[in-house]
């Protein structure tokens, strides 16, 4: 049973954590029509393939309109994670999506922060924010986001990242935006090697000051690249449920997670967009345990790697590690990743 294992999620998109039930509720509250064709039945999003998923994501996000909506989504997501044993979650927040819904950078941030504070007060779960740009919205939009982030810092905003369609633009086009975030002391991550191959991971590593790669799984197709990822200790935010739902791999047996681990890469387990992919952070741990026979020490190793690789400040990470150590009873054979 993996329910008791302390967990951490470094890769989930806040707008993508809202289930159809919540999207319907927000649409009604905001007196909006639910976008036609968004759902397939009561509690499923309807989408087909990666571009179809991104489109459904964008249309669902348009129902999220107010500071209170952002507060409720972050509170509900963190509450659900806490009920599955998560102690730490880093959520991706997209000012581009908020702007499309008519909210300023400061407004959507204020909502998410309120949800994070309320969830920590009620359930002890710690949340932090990574501001992301959306690759297919282009480098100008990315720079505007970094400008707002640097102009309006907050201690819960701990990093900068890039999601969206990795087939759009070149990574190097985003180098000025990432350089500005990096110079402001904000560590960076970028989605790469999810739908595109190892060359996309290489481009992100070479062009951007990233400490982590979102997904990065298709690096497995290039053994030299895998060796370099391991050597440079770049953390891979791996989301098996998402990859399988998107058809990148047929099932857990085809998924490269165990091979990346064996090659010495730093790997974490993450939920990405839970209701779109029929997953949650708890299910990711449970399914990885069932599929690969991981024992509790291995699962705790994922959590340790996530906390060590999180972008939270030193004090927050030390507190989280001490919670993990308390759970483990300082077990000598549970010191980290195998
Ligand atoms: N935005 C939300 N989920 C995403 C994913 N899996 N890949 C790229 N962009 C995303
Ligand atoms: Zn993602």
């Amino acid at each position: 049973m993996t329910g008791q294992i302390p967990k951490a999620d470094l890769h989930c998109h806040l707008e993508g954590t809202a289930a159809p039930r919540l999207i319907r509720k927000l649409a009604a509250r905001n007196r909006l029509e639910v976008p036609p064709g968004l759902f397939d039945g009561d509690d499923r999003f309807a989408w087909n393939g990666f571009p179809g998923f991104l489109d459904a994501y964008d249309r669902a996000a348009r129902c999220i309109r107010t500071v209170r909506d952002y507060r409720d989504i972050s509170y509900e997501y963190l509450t659900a994670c806490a009920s599955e044993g998560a102690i730490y979650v880093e959520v991706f927040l997209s000012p581009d999506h908020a702007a499309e819904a008519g909210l300023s950078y400061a407004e959507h941030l204020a909502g998410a922060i309120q949800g994070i504070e309320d969830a920590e007060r009620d359930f002890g779960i710690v949340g932090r924010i990574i501001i992301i740009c959306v690759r297919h919205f282009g480098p100008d939009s990315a720079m505007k986001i970094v400008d707002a982030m640097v102009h309006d810092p907050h201690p819960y905003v701990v990093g900068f990242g890039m999601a969206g369609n990795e087939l759009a633009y070149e990574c190097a086009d985003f180098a000025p935006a990432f350089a500005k975030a990096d110079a402001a002391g904000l560590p960076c991550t970028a989605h790469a090697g999810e739908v595109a191959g190892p060359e996309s991971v290489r481009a992100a590593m070479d062009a951007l000051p990233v400490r982590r790669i979102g997904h990065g799984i298709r690096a497995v197709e290039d053994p030299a690249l895998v060796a370099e990822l391991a050597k440079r200790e770049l953390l891979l935010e791996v989301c098996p449920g998402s990859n399988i739902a998107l058809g990148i791999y047929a099932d857990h047996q085809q998924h490269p997670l165990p091979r990346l681990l064996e090659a010495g890469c730093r790997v974490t387990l993450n939920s990405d967009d839970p209701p779109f992919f029929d997953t949650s952070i708890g299910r990711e741990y449970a399914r990885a345990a069932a599929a690969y026979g991981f024992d509790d020490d291995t699962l705790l190793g994922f959590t340790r790697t996530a906390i060590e690789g999180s972008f939270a400040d030193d004090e927050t990470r030390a507190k989280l590690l001490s919670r993990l150590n308390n759970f483990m009873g300082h077990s000598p054979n549970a010191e980290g990743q195998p």
Side-chain angles (χ1 to χ4, degrees):
M1 287 295 288
T2 56
Q4 296 303 311
I5 299 275
K7 304 170 184 74
D9 193 349
L10 296 184
H11 185 127
C12 59
H13 300 258
L14 189 62
E15 298 87 1
T17 67
R21 175 195 50 78
L22 183 53
I23 292 293
R24 284 185 214 280
K25 180 176 138 185
L26 301 183
R29 197 157 89 182
N30 295 323
R31 300 188 204 298
L32 298 168
E33 292 269 329
V34 169
L38 183 60
F39 301 123
D40 175 11
D42 269 0
D43 208 31
R44 291 178 74 85
F45 287 106
W47 54 271
N48 204 345
F50 184 63
F53 155 68
L54 290 177
D55 184 53
Y57 184 103
D58 290 349
R59 288 187 305 131
R62 281 183 210 128
C63 299
I64 308 168
R65 287 291 170 100
T66 66
V67 175
R68 182 176 162 213
D69 293 350
Y70 270 95
R71 181 266 169 208
D72 289 354
I73 292 176
S74 54
Y75 183 77
E76 282 209 13
Y77 185 58
L78 291 168
T79 300
C81 289
S83 78
E84 294 186 326
I87 59 172
Y88 182 69
V89 173
E90 241 161 54
V91 290
F92 295 143
L93 205 53
S94 165
D96 278 327
H97 285 92
E100 271 205 40
L103 282 176
S104 71
Y105 178 84
E107 285 168 329
H108 90 304
L109 190 59
I113 288 167
Q114 190 61 56
I116 288 172
E117 286 177 348
D118 292 351
E120 182 165 1
R121 178 199 61 214
D122 293 347
F123 304 108
I125 186 165
V126 176
R128 293 290 183 266
I129 293 165
I130 293 182
I131 297 292
I132 57 163
C133 64
V134 177
R135 185 158 168 168
H136 53 274
F137 293 168
D140 292 346
S141 179
M143 186 53 103
K144 282 192 194 120
I145 287 171
V146 175
D147 284 341
M149 192 176 63
V150 170
H151 183 261
D152 197 1
H154 187 282
Y156 282 11
V157 174
V158 295
F160 176 66
M162 178 162 69
N165 191 346
E166 68 179 300
L167 305 173
Y169 297 92
E170 299 292 331
C171 260
D173 297 335
F174 298 88
F178 274 78
K180 183 160 185 178
D182 187 52
L186 287 155
C188 299
T189 176
H191 284 53
E194 178 189 19
V195 293
E199 67 289 347
S200 174
V201 178
R202 170 80 59 197
M205 285 161 68
D206 288 351
L208 308 176
V210 286
R211 297 197 200 166
R212 304 189 331 215
I213 302 283
H215 301 281
I217 39 167
R218 289 196 54 198
V220 79
E221 294 163 30
D222 178 348
L225 176 61
V226 172
E228 197 175 330
L229 286 167
K231 186 161 166 243
R232 287 173 55 176
E233 300 186 354
L234 280 169
L235 185 151
L236 303 180
E237 305 155 2
V238 176
C239 314
S242 159
N243 304 146
I244 293 165
L246 283 167
I248 296 162
Y249 301 101
D251 54 28
H252 274 82
Q253 293 319 315
Q254 308 298 317
H255 194 282
L257 169 79
R259 279 175 281 157
L260 293 166
L261 257 186
E262 272 156 33
C265 292
R266 297 174 76 204
V267 173
T268 60
L269 283 173
N270 307 277
S271 69
D272 211 6
D273 305 283
F276 286 89
F277 303 139
D278 182 30
T279 192
S280 68
I281 191 62
R283 274 179 259 170
E284 289 301 328
Y285 275 66
R287 287 171 184 163
Y292 307 125
F294 290 153
D295 61 12
D296 286 359
D297 286 353
T298 305
L299 297 175
L300 288 162
F302 286 116
T303 307
R304 178 176 294 278
T305 301
I307 294 171
E308 287 173 350
S310 93
F311 292 161
D313 60 84
D314 291 350
E315 193 188 331
T316 303
R317 275 186 297 125
K319 279 191 192 151
L320 290 163
L321 284 173
S322 114
R323 275 169 78 175
L324 191 60
N325 289 336
N326 287 341
F327 176 87
M328 293 163 84
H330 307 280
S331 157
N333 55 4
E335 282 299 304
Q337 219 155 57

